[in-house]
Amino acid sequence: ILPFLMGSVIKLYALVVLLERHGVINRALMGIGITDSPTRLLYNQFAVVLGLTYHMLPFAVLPLLAGFQTISPDLVKAAESLGASRAYALFSTVLPLSLPSMLATGTIVYIICLGFYLTPEVLGGPTTPFSSSLIAQDVFQFYDLKSASVSALVLLVGSLVVVLLAYALVGRERLARAVAA
């Protein structure tokens, strides 16, 4: 819940402070003796993925939690009482029942991540462009509205395909429950 309580810009600049060349993480790595010089943790793909993960974790955890809470623990006990090991009982009962929640959560996170502009710009810099930053670059740097329009249309069609596929696989009710959670 903590990431929901902080603003996006505050979270991003907190990550910049942690990941910068002489930041907290690099000083800790050098203090422990893992590295002799500061490691490049900022302005690369790792920083963008870390930032997106931190932003999107509540959007993934909360719907998954709601989905897992609908699965009765008695099903695992019943599978164990019939001779299944604990791991097989979880794999054969909980996993199939949680797949719709996982698919709905993945769809929600994917659609939200498509529009991220600030995270790749602040944490990744110009070396890690995402689709939204490439569209902005086409519009504001190259003044190529046709290329930006085509890119935006491809992004829109791709996201609609993902949503319709999730809608067909999961169903309207489960997708609505995952969004409401």
Side-chain angles (χ1 to χ4, degrees), residues 9-61:
V9 176
I10 293 170
K11 287 188 278 189
L12 287 176
Y13 283 108
L15 283 172
V16 168
V17 169
L18 290 173
L19 298 174
E20 66 186 353
R21 193 145 181 85
H22 298 288
V24 176
I25 294 176
N26 268 321
R27 278 190 264 154
L29 290 174
M30 289 188 307
I32 296 171
I34 294 175
T35 61
D36 295 331
S37 62
T39 308
R40 187 171 179 257
L41 298 173
L42 196 57
Y43 306 121
N44 55 26
Q45 195 76 23
F46 167 75
V48 175
V49 170
L50 183 69
L52 287 175
T53 302
Y54 183 65
H55 275 288
M56 299 311 298
L57 205 58
F59 292 101
V61 169

Side-chain angles (χ1 to χ4, degrees), residues 15-132:
L15 283 172
V16 168
V17 169
L18 290 173
L19 298 174
E20 66 186 353
R21 193 145 181 85
H22 298 288
V24 176
I25 294 176
N26 268 321
R27 278 190 264 154
L29 290 174
M30 289 188 307
I32 296 171
I34 294 175
T35 61
D36 295 331
S37 62
T39 308
R40 187 171 179 257
L41 298 173
L42 196 57
Y43 306 121
N44 55 26
Q45 195 76 23
F46 167 75
V48 175
V49 170
L50 183 69
L52 287 175
T53 302
Y54 183 65
H55 275 288
M56 299 311 298
L57 205 58
F59 292 101
V61 169
L62 294 176
L64 283 176
L65 177 67
F68 279 117
Q69 284 180 338
T70 62
I71 300 170
S72 174
D74 292 336
L75 294 173
V76 177
K77 291 178 186 173
E80 287 177 341
S81 71
L82 293 172
S85 67
R86 180 77 159 172
Y88 186 75
L90 287 171
F91 183 75
S92 63
T93 58
V94 174
L95 186 65
L97 292 173
S98 65
L99 278 177
S101 296
M102 289 184 196
L103 183 62
T105 299
T107 303
I108 292 166
V109 168
Y110 173 74
I111 296 300
I112 294 172
C113 281
L114 282 179
F116 268 65
Y117 176 77
L118 196 58
T119 303
E121 289 293 318
V122 172
L123 296 178
T127 59
T128 54
F130 270 50
S131 53
S132 57

Side-chain angles (χ1 to χ4, degrees), residues 104-157:
T105 299
T107 303
I108 292 166
V109 168
Y110 173 74
I111 296 300
I112 294 172
C113 281
L114 282 179
F116 268 65
Y117 176 77
L118 196 58
T119 303
E121 289 293 318
V122 172
L123 296 178
T127 59
T128 54
F130 270 50
S131 53
S132 57
S133 57
L134 289 175
I135 293 170
Q137 187 179 25
D138 281 343
V139 171
F140 298 115
Q141 284 182 349
F142 303 131
Y143 304 110
D144 188 3
L145 295 179
K146 288 181 185 177
S147 178
S149 299
V150 168
S151 298
L153 185 63
V154 167
L155 193 63
L156 176 67
V157 169

